[in-house]
Amino acid sequence: MAERINSALNSASLNGLQLKNRLIKAGTFENRSPNGIPGASLTDFHAQFGRGGIAMTTIGYCAVENAGRLNANMLTMHEDIRSEITQLVQNIQKQDCKVAGQMGHCGAFSKNHTLKARPKGPSGGLNLLGFAEGMWFCDAMSLDDIDHMVDAYRDAAIFMKSVGFDALEIHFGHGYGLCQFLSPLTNHRKDNYGGSLENRLRLPLRVLAAVRAAVGDDFPILAKITMSEGRRGGLHYDDSLEICKALDAAGIDAIIPSNGTSTMNPMLMFRGDSILPALLKYERNRIMRFLLRLMGKKMFPALPFYDMYLLEQAKRIRAVVKCKLVYIGGATSGDNFTEILGAGFDFIQLGRTLLADPDLPQKLAVDPSYKSRCTHCNLCVGTIESPQGIHCPQFTDNSAT
Ligand SMILES: Cc1cc2nc3c(=O)[nH]c(=O)nc-3n(C[C@H](O)[C@H](O)[C@H](O)COP(=O)(O)O)c2cc1C
């Protein structure tokens, strides 16, 4: 057993970046940067994972421009926070931990009241996140808007490399901006950016090319995708094979196959207890609370959790790409890690497991049979809206982070 677990704790390289083991903290939006300014709370949050022994942590949802933020407490990658974000990255790196930044853009849905115009996505319609707050609609992006979005990713990538990030993770999944282009449910365009999958991939691939050109060939870029939206007419597992092949051919260094979307089917991403009680606990908007009570049970059904719940579908991707593959979804123990690496994955991202056990790698080194104490109650998901920022309400002492 000890030998098998050690393979997860062995070092490995990702496009020249040496990682001391195969375990990476997954991006979990922290809500620890009030008004978009990173400081001690965000630093301490990530430093605890570094002290706990993981090889790399991921700063969740770094918006590439203000219009890409879901709310005004998200980070935007721009000059105004150069000194704070440089400090943040350096302080986490002092824990012998590399730092990745997840590049995000919310596209058509936003409740960011600092926006001067409606949010924009591939097609106009309802602003699914903002309508309860009076931001009713979203507009369709023009061709100039599309060029602008590519430039925003390029500029953010240049900025992020310059402040010391070790790797960039582009978010192509979970229903956010680039995923809205990939999905036939949200992309109804009649031009070269809509219709066939080849067309729907056009903007995401332009973004990848721009980020690659910005950071150079020898800088690690990861892609997080959604394998299935779990909705009729949406992206399905077979589509994700084609998306991964295209990303691989375009020079991505690693793919993280996740699942579901934040707006339409988040439980596919998490599994476990319904996130509804947690959302109701922290939601303050009266209309949103009413809508959650009305539709929440249908939108967020409990889905039985089982270890490595995305493994079988993710293995199909292993068979069609040459790039590195990062497993995500319910990896909770050394035995899980052994099985995942044995199936040909190169790294493992951990979300809730590390929220409950920030020092999991150290625990495993001492006790190879240790299994995470995370119960998949999903209360951590609600803490995205809590004043203290995300944490595991069951097991972590939030005052320490
Ligand atoms: C509190 C919380 C916040 C999350 N925020 C993000 C995010 O900002 N970006 C992202 O890609 N995924 C986000 N996720 C999804 C996780 O990265 C991961 O895909 C999911 O939790 C499944 O992995 P796990 O079983 O290891 O937790 C979040 C998950 C949780 C629990």
Side-chain angles (χ1 to χ4, degrees):
M1 168 74 83
E3 264 174 37
R4 301 206 324 257
I5 285 168
N6 280 343
S7 63
L9 301 179
N10 281 348
S11 68
S13 148
L14 176 62
N15 189 4
L17 178 69
Q18 202 58 33
L19 296 178
K20 67 184 177 191
N21 58 48
R22 313 290 179 121
L23 303 177
I24 301 173
K25 164 74 179 54
T28 53
F29 171 59
E30 303 88 356
N31 193 22
R32 286 168 180 266
S33 44
N35 300 313
I37 314 288
S41 172
L42 191 59
T43 307
D44 293 349
F45 177 75
H46 285 280
Q48 68 176 330
F49 305 119
R51 284 194 302 277
I54 50 128
M56 180 157 78
T57 191
T58 308
I59 311 293
Y61 210 97
C62 301
V64 298
E65 61 171 344
N66 184 36
R69 294 196 295 175
L70 292 160
N71 67 52
N73 288 326
M74 287 185 142
L75 297 172
T76 311
M77 294 297 111
H78 67 128
E79 287 298 331
D80 291 358
I81 58 163
R82 175 173 288 281
S83 108
E84 291 90 343
I85 199 94
T86 305
Q87 278 294 310
L88 172 99
V89 171
Q90 287 176 356
N91 284 334
I92 301 168
Q93 287 166 338
K94 279 183 193 150
Q95 307 299 328
D96 190 20
C97 179
K98 306 291 185 198
V99 183
Q102 183 180 61
M103 305 182 80
H105 197 299
C106 59
F109 58 81
S110 176
K111 54 178 183 177
N112 177 4
H113 289 285
T114 70
L115 290 185
K116 294 192 173 62
R118 289 177 178 175
K120 289 182 182 176
S123 308
L126 268 188
N127 171 6
L128 288 177
L129 195 71
F131 71 90
E133 307 208 3
M135 296 171 67
W136 299 92
F137 299 107
C138 59
D139 288 334
M141 287 164 73
S142 67
L143 293 179
D144 281 349
D145 292 330
I146 287 177
D147 290 346
H148 171 83
M149 190 186 254
V150 175
D151 291 348
Y153 273 93
R154 177 203 59 202
D155 294 347
I158 293 169
F159 175 77
M160 291 171 83
K161 186 177 179 190
S162 78
V163 296
F165 279 96
D166 297 292
L168 298 180
E169 176 183 309
I170 306 177
H171 208 329
F172 292 99
H174 295 178
Y176 296 111
L178 298 175
C179 188
Q180 290 160 19
F181 271 82
L182 290 171
S183 169
L185 289 177
T186 43
N187 183 344
H188 309 294
R189 297 180 75 92
K190 303 279 180 252
D191 61 8
N192 282 345
Y193 291 90
S196 64
L197 182 58
E198 188 188 354
N199 279 356
R200 286 181 276 123
L201 268 161
R202 198 173 306 279
L203 172 61
L205 291 179
R206 278 189 66 190
V207 164
L208 173 56
V211 172
R212 173 60 76 203
V215 297
D217 288 341
D218 55 356
F219 192 85
I221 308 177
L222 304 93
K224 189 166 184 177
I225 65 142
T226 282
M227 289 189 286
S228 169
E229 294 183 290
R231 286 276 181 267
R232 188 176 301 157
L235 290 172
H236 277 285
Y237 293 107
D238 288 351
D239 301 312
S240 71
L241 299 180
E242 300 309 313
I243 291 169
C244 288
K245 281 193 228 168
L247 293 170
D248 192 27
I252 199 73
D253 294 309
I255 296 175
I256 310 151
S258 181
N259 224 23
T261 71
S262 297
T263 42
M264 287 188 275
N265 216 338
M267 291 308 298
L268 277 188
M269 188 189 315
F270 302 118
R271 298 194 82 96
D273 294 352
S274 168
I275 59 176
L276 181 59
L279 296 180
L280 279 169
K281 181 166 178 196
Y282 293 102
E283 182 58 61
R284 291 286 153 264
N285 181 292
R286 280 191 310 160
I287 302 173
M288 201 54 136
R289 290 183 69 79
F290 171 75
L291 290 172
L292 283 173
R293 289 217 164 84
L294 191 71
M295 305 188 303
K297 278 201 177 131
K298 192 153 182 258
M299 281 187 72
F300 311 115
L303 275 188
F305 177 89
Y306 54 95
D307 280 357
M308 304 174 286
Y309 52 87
L310 296 179
L311 188 58
E312 289 314 307
Q313 289 297 343
K315 274 185 192 170
R316 297 178 66 210
I317 294 174
R318 179 66 291 170
V320 299
V321 297
K322 293 198 181 64
C323 65
K324 304 236 162 157
L325 216 49
V326 183
Y327 179 77
I328 194 166
T332 65
S333 68
D335 276 351
N336 284 180
F337 302 162
T338 303
E339 186 174 339
I340 291 164
L341 296 176
F345 293 81
D346 301 281
F347 297 97
I348 300 162
Q349 278 202 352
L350 303 167
R352 291 163 296 176
T353 293
L354 285 174
L355 293 180
D357 286 293
D359 56 349
L360 184 88
Q362 282 180 357
K363 283 179 172 153
L364 278 176
V366 175
D367 174 7
S369 66
Y370 185 79
K371 186 169 175 62
S372 167
R373 57 191 174 171
C374 174
T375 61
H376 312 102
C377 66
N378 288 329
L379 291 175
C380 56
V381 178
T383 65
I384 283 182
E385 297 285 343
S386 88
Q388 301 96 325
I390 66 156
H391 57 279
C392 168
Q394 287 209 60
F395 297 119
T396 55
D397 171 10
N398 196 47
S399 61
T401 61

